[in-house]
Amino acid sequence: MSERPDQREQPARAAAGRHVVVVGAGMAGVQTAVALRERGYDGRITLIGAEPHPPYDRPPLSKAVLLGQTDSPAFDVDFAALSVELRLGVEVTGLRPDTREIDTGAGPVPYDVLVLATGAEPVRLPGTEGVPGVYTLRTLDDAEQLRPVLARRRATVIVGAGWIGAEFATAARAAGCSVTVVEAADVPFSGALPPEVAAPMAEWYAESGAELLTRARVASVEPGGPGEPGTVALADGRLLPAEAVVVGIGARPATGWLAGSGIALEPDGSITADDRLQASLPGVYAVGDCASFPSARYGERLLVHHWDNALQGPRTVAAQVTGETERRYDPVPYFWSEQFGRFVQYAGHHAAADALVWRGDPAEAAWSVVWLRDGVLVALLAVGRPRDLAQGRKLIEAGARLDRERAGDPAVPLRKAAL
């Protein structure tokens, strides 16, 4: 029997007397508020953000904002029309579950339901705190500080050849800056991709005119005098002149403020959420970059620092708040990156794979690789092959087994390699 329209609305109405407080005004926080309204929740919603800016999307920061192509990556959301109370420029400092209140710089805020969406914060390069000319790229203010660096074509050293490092190097080269990228590992994207997959991507830096130094560790960063460049000293004694140093060596969940609250955290600092994104305290949920969740699909807990996770997770949280308690969260992780004239996409999780199959030559402009576990497709990386990504993502969701020979033929559509 089909569900009557009013049946689905009843849980939302029952929740209407509750006050939902969302901490964090990035993608995950904003989408939680939107999803609650879409599901018929008509109670009070307060969205608290530490930054004073209207809530904004982060991907444009390393692209259009840096290059001056846009001034405002603000979300196209009418918070007033949604009856969402915005409290911006408010730092949250603690959680008191006994009284169901959060502490902020503007005073305590009571909640009935609390959603933690505080995101992640960049890892700092030791010894560079407060050093002039050293930047990270995580916030709109960061991008605004770096925009004149690119506009003046400053000689730039980037520490870390991960996704942020590659995207910033791309923007810096497009702006005409000289760029040197320092990476401690043997290849770029260390930790994110296997060395045999990442190694061909090192060539992209030279093609763009950037210099990539691998197996190189930063010993110190010394600021320059008036009108003089600073210096990045490497552990092997090399000295790199730098008018700007951009650090992109990873991010960690922004959860330090939860110390002593009773919220369970993983060793990596992520909030321990269950498969419905509930945290360890009643009425508290966690979503986005600050939360990890158990994946039945992959048999391990995942911490996913990507835009799509922050978009999808709020739908599960909204379902829980409005009474659909059986909805579980187990997505196929997905992200993309635009770098060095290439569109790079990844879906899945390859850590437990036992086979890697190439589709195409990595020396060419377009290629992809797939990872299999016992013949089942579990992950895919596509460079300039969006059709592979679209088909592969569906196959991963379906738990499809692939014929390895056909999967390795780039002329064969990936869906036709399914058994």
Side-chain angles (χ1 to χ4, degrees):
M1 180 182 294
S2 63
E3 186 181 62
R4 297 200 317 269
D6 62 335
Q7 285 180 308
R8 183 171 164 271
E9 294 172 3
Q10 287 173 357
R13 288 172 180 162
R18 293 185 289 171
H19 180 197
V20 177
V21 175
V22 183
V23 180
M27 170 64 81
V30 167
Q31 288 301 316
T32 297
V34 171
L36 282 167
R37 293 300 188 222
E38 287 177 344
R39 294 192 62 82
Y41 175 77
D42 59 3
R44 185 181 175 192
I45 300 175
T46 300
L47 181 62
I48 300 176
E51 296 181 58
H53 312 290
Y56 60 86
D57 205 6
R58 293 190 188 277
L61 298 184
S62 59
K63 308 171 184 70
V65 175
L66 272 180
L67 294 173
Q69 297 167 350
T70 182
D71 291 317
S72 176
F75 291 115
D76 185 18
V77 175
D78 189 336
F79 294 100
L82 291 175
S83 296
V84 173
E85 178 187 357
L86 280 181
R87 301 188 64 178
L88 302 177
V90 175
E91 192 77 32
V92 177
T93 57
L95 166 61
R96 288 181 283 122
D98 52 339
T99 58
R100 290 208 170 206
E101 291 180 315
I102 57 171
D103 291 321
T104 78
V109 178
Y111 68 86
D112 296 302
V113 175
L114 179 63
V115 181
L116 305 174
T118 48
E121 55 194 7
V123 175
R124 305 286 175 176
L125 187 65
T128 63
E129 195 72 35
V131 175
V134 178
Y135 306 88
T136 56
L137 181 53
R138 184 74 186 181
T139 68
L140 181 58
D141 287 343
D142 292 338
E144 292 291 353
Q145 289 179 347
L146 281 165
R147 184 151 59 175
V149 171
L150 269 60
R152 293 195 294 268
R153 300 182 178 181
R154 299 295 193 188
T156 303
V157 171
I158 301 169
V159 183
W163 304 110
I164 287 295
E167 290 188 0
F168 185 81
T170 299
R173 286 300 301 140
C177 298
S178 64
V179 174
T180 302
V181 182
V182 177
E183 170 57 49
D186 294 343
V187 292
F189 311 111
S190 174
L193 297 171
E196 63 268 33
V197 176
M201 300 163 87
E203 301 299 325
W204 300 355
Y205 289 80
E207 290 175 8
S208 76
E211 182 179 14
L212 173 63
L213 304 179
T214 57
R215 305 185 190 90
R217 294 185 177 276
V218 175
S220 65
V221 177
E222 302 297 331
E228 296 293 328
T231 302
V232 176
L234 303 184
D236 61 10
R238 283 179 289 180
L239 301 177
L240 307 177
E243 294 171 280
V245 178
V246 179
V247 179
I249 55 176
R252 61 168 67 93
T255 56
W257 66 280
L258 291 169
S261 68
I263 291 286
L265 302 178
E266 294 296 305
D268 58 16
S270 64
I271 298 165
T272 305
D274 66 12
D275 60 0
R276 294 174 176 85
L277 298 181
Q278 296 183 61
S280 58
L281 292 177
V284 181
Y285 300 86
V287 66
D289 291 3
C290 68
S292 60
F293 57 90
S295 171
R297 187 189 311 276
Y298 292 106
E300 61 182 284
R301 179 167 287 274
L302 300 182
L303 173 60
V304 181
H305 280 183
H306 296 299
W307 186 91
D308 191 64
N309 179 52
L311 176 66
Q312 292 197 57
R315 298 166 188 162
T316 295
V317 170
Q320 298 297 310
V321 173
T322 56
E324 189 189 318
T325 57
E326 293 307 307
R327 181 164 180 159
R328 288 174 167 80
Y329 190 62
D330 194 8
V332 173
Y334 166 74
F335 76 92
W336 79 95
S337 175
E338 295 176 271
Q339 51 187 265
F340 307 117
R342 294 168 171 87
F343 188 43
V344 183
Q345 296 173 284
Y346 177 94
H349 180 64
H350 67 266
D354 53 36
L356 185 155
V357 180
W358 290 87
R359 287 174 58 79
D361 185 348
E364 301 296 330
W367 52 274
S368 58
V369 294
V370 298
W371 285 269
L372 308 177
R373 183 176 63 202
D374 298 327
V376 175
L377 179 64
V378 294
L380 178 142
L381 174 77
V383 178
R385 290 180 66 97
R387 184 172 297 178
D388 273 5
L389 191 287
Q391 295 181 11
R393 192 175 183 183
K394 292 179 180 178
L395 292 171
I396 296 170
E397 290 173 347
R401 302 179 65 85
L402 299 189
D403 178 285
R404 287 188 58 170
E405 184 175 348
R406 291 180 66 79
D409 184 346
V412 174
L414 198 57
R415 60 183 173 79
K416 292 190 175 181
L419 296 173

